[in-house]
């Protein structure tokens, strides 16, 4: 497809985004560390965080979203080098197999014309874009609790060139693409988030209203990085507390 085949609209100013420096602009989603270290039985150790940054920042407010139990999905739009673009649908790794019924849904949600109209500006040099989300629903993990007879994609991150979008920009993207975004539960300190998950809460998107949420994903509002350049993101899972009888 030639770049002129669809309008190019500059909808998002990079000023509020979080910049990182990497060798490649197309990437799989970084692994999210669990908050707690684990013992030899794979149980969490409540007084031991996995990184010193979590301990240092524990009393700061983090953005907390519901963790969805599905399969990691990447939608990649990149210049082809000859004036057009290539669109790829991928799992967490390039080798991961996407279920056929989910792949069909991704094709419906993310046609290349829509992606180009939202992410490409005719007046600027095109850059690779990756839309990250969770594929979920029937026959995916325990997704039948979310959707009993279908599958869907829910957005949790976007990387535009070397920039990560903040929450406000992600919400704008979701609206433009007409897709769902992971529910924002609130801003909490790490101790507050621990108590919230330990107490338990119901999924805010599941058709089954009695379905317990898988947990929370925590991000720093300003996109802070660890010393090794990795983003500071962590997850707190409900089942880890249940394994301890809490």
């Amino acid at each position: 497809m030639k770049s002129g085949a669809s309008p190019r609209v500059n909808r998002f100013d990079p000023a509020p985004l979080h910049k990182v420096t990497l060798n490649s602009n197309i990437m799989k989603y970084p692994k999210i560390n669990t908050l707690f270290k684990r013992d030899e039985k794979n149980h969490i150790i409540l007084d031991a965080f996995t990184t010193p940054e979590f301990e240092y920042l524990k009393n700061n407010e983090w953005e907390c979203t519901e963790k969805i139990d599905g399969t990691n999905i990447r939608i990649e739009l990149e210049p082809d080098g000859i004036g057009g673009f290539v669109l790829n649908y991928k799992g967490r790794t390039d080798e991961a197999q996407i279920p056929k019924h989910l792949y069909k849904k991704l094709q419906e949600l993310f046609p290349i014309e829509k992606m180009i109209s939202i992410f490409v500006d005719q007046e600027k040099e095109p850059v690779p874009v990756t839309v990250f989300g969770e594929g979920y629903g029937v026959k995916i993990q325990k997704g039948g609790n979310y959707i009993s007879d279908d599958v869907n994609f829910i957005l949790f991150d976007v990387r535009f060139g070397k920039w990560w979008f903040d929450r406000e920009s992600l919400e704008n993207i979701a609206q433009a693409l007409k897709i769902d975004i992971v529910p924002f539960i609130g801003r909490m300190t790490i101790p507050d988030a621990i108590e919230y998950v330990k107490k338990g809460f119901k999924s805010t998107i599941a058709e089954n209203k009695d379905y317990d949420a898988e947990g929370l994903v925590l991000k720093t509002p300003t996109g802070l990085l660890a010393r090794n350049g990795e983003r500071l993101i962590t997850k707190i899972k409900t089942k880890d507390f249940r394994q301890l009888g809490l």
Side-chain angles (χ1 to χ4, degrees):
M1 165 174 287
K2 296 297 182 182
S3 58
S6 186
R8 296 182 172 192
V9 180
N10 182 26
R11 295 175 181 265
F12 304 98
D13 188 330
L17 312 183
H18 307 144
K19 189 174 183 181
V20 294
T21 301
L22 297 170
N23 293 328
S24 173
N25 289 327
I26 291 292
M27 60 181 291
K28 67 180 183 180
Y29 199 71
K31 179 177 174 57
I32 300 177
N33 287 323
T34 56
L35 180 63
F36 301 106
K37 292 182 179 179
R38 296 179 180 271
D39 62 19
E40 64 279 0
K41 295 182 180 179
N42 203 36
H43 292 164
I44 57 174
I45 304 172
L46 292 175
D47 60 352
F49 292 158
T50 52
T51 74
E53 290 87 358
F54 297 150
E55 176 67 31
Y56 184 76
L57 296 169
K58 68 181 181 182
N59 293 319
N60 290 73
E61 286 191 335
W62 295 61
E63 290 181 347
C64 302
T65 56
E66 180 182 340
K67 188 178 188 305
I68 308 301
D69 188 15
T71 185
N72 193 279
I73 295 294
R74 292 176 287 161
I75 313 298
E76 298 178 345
L77 179 71
E78 56 183 324
D80 63 7
I82 55 174
F85 295 86
V86 176
L87 183 67
N88 292 307
Y89 310 95
K90 296 182 179 179
R92 175 168 176 77
T93 66
D94 290 347
E95 296 76 25
Q97 296 295 311
I98 300 175
K100 290 182 179 179
H101 63 313
L102 176 58
Y103 193 88
K104 181 179 179 181
K105 175 66 71 172
L106 297 176
Q107 290 178 311
E108 295 171 358
L109 291 173
F110 301 100
I112 191 169
E113 296 84 1
K114 181 196 285 189
M115 292 288 286
I116 290 174
S117 71
I118 291 171
F119 289 109
V120 178
D121 177 7
Q122 285 182 328
E123 304 303 320
K124 296 183 179 180
E125 188 73 18
V127 297
V129 178
T130 306
V131 175
F132 295 97
E134 202 78 4
Y136 70 104
V138 66
K139 297 183 180 180
I140 300 174
Q141 308 291 8
K142 297 179 181 178
N145 288 291
Y146 295 116
I147 309 173
S148 61
D149 60 355
D150 200 1
V151 290
N152 203 354
F153 173 96
I154 193 163
L155 175 73
F156 58 71
D157 236 326
V158 172
R159 188 161 181 264
F160 184 87
K162 294 182 179 180
W163 295 87
W164 290 101
F165 280 22
D166 63 9
R167 177 70 190 191
E168 182 180 0
S169 295
L170 290 174
E171 291 175 350
N172 290 339
I173 283 288
Q175 183 177 12
L177 287 170
K178 295 181 173 58
I179 59 174
D180 294 330
I181 184 171
V182 286
F184 180 71
I185 304 302
R187 287 195 175 194
M188 306 180 203
T189 64
I190 286 180
D192 287 344
I194 291 170
E195 288 303 311
Y196 191 88
V197 176
K198 184 166 67 173
K199 182 180 178 181
F201 66 103
K202 301 301 180 183
S203 171
T204 60
I205 67 167
E207 289 181 4
N208 178 1
K209 300 306 178 184
D210 292 325
Y211 183 59
D212 290 331
E214 193 183 16
L216 292 175
V217 174
L218 282 64
K219 295 181 185 177
T220 61
T222 55
L224 296 181
L225 307 177
R227 287 186 299 154
N228 62 2
E230 293 181 356
R231 299 169 76 202
L232 289 176
I233 304 177
T234 190
K235 57 188 174 185
I236 308 174
K237 301 180 75 170
T238 306
K239 71 176 184 179
D240 287 335
F241 296 101
R242 301 300 174 261
Q243 288 175 346
L244 297 178
L246 300 175

